[in-house]
Amino acid sequence: MLAFKPEDQLQLVEREDIDDEEDLFEAIDKLITHGINAGDVKKLQDAGIYTCNGLMMHTKKNLTGIKGLSEAKVEKICEAAEKIVNFGYITGSEALLKRKAVVRITTGSQALDELLGGGIETSAITEAFGEFRSGKTQLAHTLCVSTQNLTRLPIDLSDLLQLPTSMKGGNGKVAYIDTEGTFRPDRVVPIAERFGMDAGAVLDNIIYARAYTYEHQYNLLLGLAAKMAEEPFRLLIVDSVIALFRVDFTGRGELADRQQKLAQMLSRLIKIAEEFNVAVYMTNQVIADPGGGVFISDPKKPAGGHVLAHAATIRLMFRKGKGEQRVCKVFDAPNLPESEAISFSCYISFSISSYCDYNMVQLFKFLDEKHVFQITAGGIADAKD
């Protein structure tokens, strides 16, 4: 692997110098050229299906549930879609080539990026779980900015350099679904300033919705297809994915129904990620784990059970350390080793003794050999910044 030099990390280039990304999906309108009535295509769009790729992700049972589409029409539509997109077998080499379209979005910290193999990955779901005030939402706010400016190259080049495509943003828009009321646009402003970006332009490239019920949350996901088919989105944030389910479903009697509805929502997230090549970053809460072991103080586990565990591609565990220390650990990933990154919150400036100063320097030197990042007023950053 080629050595990474910090001075090569940022290279400003004009947007036109970067090749346009190859179309990753086929518009649903193409069905008309294969003999499908324009009225039937309009019915599909009204149902939230805007691409042939998305169409093939629905069962025929779901499609016949759309008003005005009979079984015969659905059969004809599916046959036409199969001629446009290939959803059959491909070779391993073709799968590797397809992976080159995957983009990794920087977290704002090189140490955390290294932990994640380059950053938050598109066409995948990254789950961050942990107790309150552990840094999950801070990372979400930082990604709102870094997605628009410091989007990494395809993964085969991500170890070499980062190329901001536009200092005004616009490389990838962000959709933010807030279920806990924690999104703060004023928090985005200093993060944008840290990256040298126009805060107004950054905020204009974020679409935000506050969800109040699990049904509202699911309907917001359905409405995203139309926007993503028309504009270049790169990131979808759901903060948090489980909160409303824990409110709207109570007791063991409703647990099975809750898990089924949660599975449907997670399935929708996976389809959005793969259909539009966007990164899905969702936060999750934790619950007490009585069986966590006698040697673990205050044991916790992520909420959502096995349904959520199997849906997430990459699972990150955020936890509090001593004092203001934060730890991010790769809990589960198909291609990443188990590892940790440690952070230090630097919101408040205060004076400490020379003895403490010396010891902090020694501590940072020790941690610099590992993955070290910090939570700052400008978002997630390297500890040395």
Side-chain angles (χ1 to χ4, degrees):
M1 183 179 292
L2 295 177
F4 179 86
K5 297 180 180 179
E7 58 268 21
D8 293 334
Q9 185 176 1
L10 298 179
Q11 294 186 21
L12 305 185
V13 296
E14 296 298 328
R15 187 174 180 82
E16 55 266 25
D17 290 339
I18 296 178
D19 295 334
D20 292 333
E21 184 175 315
E22 183 181 344
D23 290 337
L24 297 172
F25 57 84
E26 301 289 347
I28 201 71
D29 294 338
K30 286 194 175 182
L31 289 175
I32 298 175
T33 62
H34 286 73
I36 304 301
N37 186 280
D40 292 336
V41 172
K42 180 65 167 59
K43 292 171 186 175
L44 292 172
Q45 291 175 328
D46 292 341
I49 302 173
Y50 285 82
T51 71
C52 293
N53 308 63
L55 173 67
M56 297 300 294
M57 294 177 183
H58 286 74
T59 64
K60 292 180 180 179
K61 179 182 177 181
N62 287 338
L63 295 174
T64 52
I66 299 174
K67 187 177 180 180
L69 294 184
S70 63
E71 290 186 10
K73 282 186 176 181
V74 168
E75 284 288 346
K76 187 178 179 181
I77 288 171
C78 290
E79 288 176 4
E82 287 173 358
K83 296 176 182 178
I84 298 172
V85 294
N86 176 27
F87 265 60
Y89 288 106
I90 60 175
T91 66
S93 297
E94 289 172 327
L96 180 61
L97 186 63
K98 191 175 181 181
R99 284 280 296 169
K100 291 182 181 293
V102 172
V103 174
R104 294 185 187 275
I105 301 169
T106 179
T107 61
S109 163
Q110 187 177 339
L112 195 51
D113 287 347
E114 289 175 357
L115 181 74
L116 298 174
I120 303 295
E121 186 176 303
T122 60
S123 292
I125 294 180
T126 300
E127 172 205 357
F129 67 88
E131 58 184 328
F132 67 95
R133 212 171 143 268
S134 58
K136 306 182 301 294
T137 300
Q138 295 301 319
L139 179 55
H141 281 73
T142 304
L143 289 171
C144 281
V145 179
S146 64
T147 298
Q148 302 181 42
N149 185 28
L150 297 178
T151 301
R152 287 188 182 275
L153 288 177
I155 55 176
D156 56 326
L157 296 178
S158 62
D159 287 320
L160 301 181
L161 67 168
Q162 286 178 286
L163 298 178
T165 59
S166 171
M167 294 308 290
K168 292 291 185 180
N171 183 58
K173 292 195 171 187
V174 179
Y176 199 118
I177 298 177
D178 184 4
T179 68
E180 298 183 355
T182 54
F183 177 73
R184 294 293 182 270
D186 47 311
R187 181 75 184 94
V188 173
V189 174
I191 300 175
E193 291 173 349
R194 170 199 160 196
F195 283 108
M197 298 172 65
D198 186 316
V202 169
L203 289 170
D204 286 341
N205 280 330
I206 300 171
I207 61 170
Y208 167 82
R210 174 75 163 94
Y212 293 95
T213 67
Y214 82 93
E215 293 171 332
H216 185 197
Q217 183 178 343
Y218 186 75
N219 289 334
L220 288 171
L221 290 177
L222 292 178
L224 272 180
K227 297 181 182 297
M228 290 186 172
E230 296 175 356
E231 299 180 273
F233 279 82
R234 189 64 79 193
L235 175 68
L236 166 60
I237 295 173
V238 183
D239 185 19
S240 74
V241 70
I242 197 69
L244 298 177
F245 286 89
R246 298 180 74 179
V247 173
D248 296 339
F249 296 89
T250 57
R252 288 188 175 273
E254 296 184 339
L255 181 60
D257 190 28
R258 186 196 85 166
Q259 292 302 89
Q260 183 182 40
K261 294 292 193 297
L262 177 61
Q264 291 172 353
M265 183 169 300
L266 292 168
S267 175
R268 184 60 190 160
L269 286 173
I270 294 170
K271 291 172 181 176
I272 287 175
E274 296 187 3
E275 182 179 354
F276 299 104
N277 191 30
V278 301
V280 174
Y281 173 78
M282 64 181 188
T283 65
N284 189 16
Q285 300 172 348
V286 292
I287 57 177
D289 183 14
V294 295
F295 298 105
I296 303 176
S297 61
D298 194 21
K300 296 180 178 66
K301 64 180 180 180
H306 295 294
V307 168
L308 201 151
H310 288 298
T313 314
I314 299 166
R315 308 192 82 188
L316 304 177
M317 180 177 69
F318 282 71
R319 62 180 173 85
K320 299 174 184 176
K322 295 180 180 179
E324 294 301 313
Q325 181 179 329
R326 301 290 182 271
V327 180
C328 173
K329 178 180 180 180
V330 175
F331 191 76
D332 179 41
N335 60 337
L336 298 175
E338 184 176 302
S339 186
E340 290 186 347
I342 303 172
S343 76
F344 289 88
S345 178
C346 293
Y347 275 118
I348 305 172
S349 297
F350 57 92
S351 60
I352 53 180
S353 68
S354 298
Y355 174 78
C356 289
D357 249 342
Y358 172 79
N359 280 278
M360 286 298 290
V361 168
Q362 298 306 310
L363 178 61
F364 269 85
K365 282 183 178 179
F366 168 75
L367 291 172
D368 193 48
E369 298 175 0
K370 301 181 179 181
H371 299 289
V372 185
F373 71 99
Q374 65 186 15
I375 302 172
T376 71
I380 301 296
D382 286 318
K384 58 187 177 183
D385 285 351

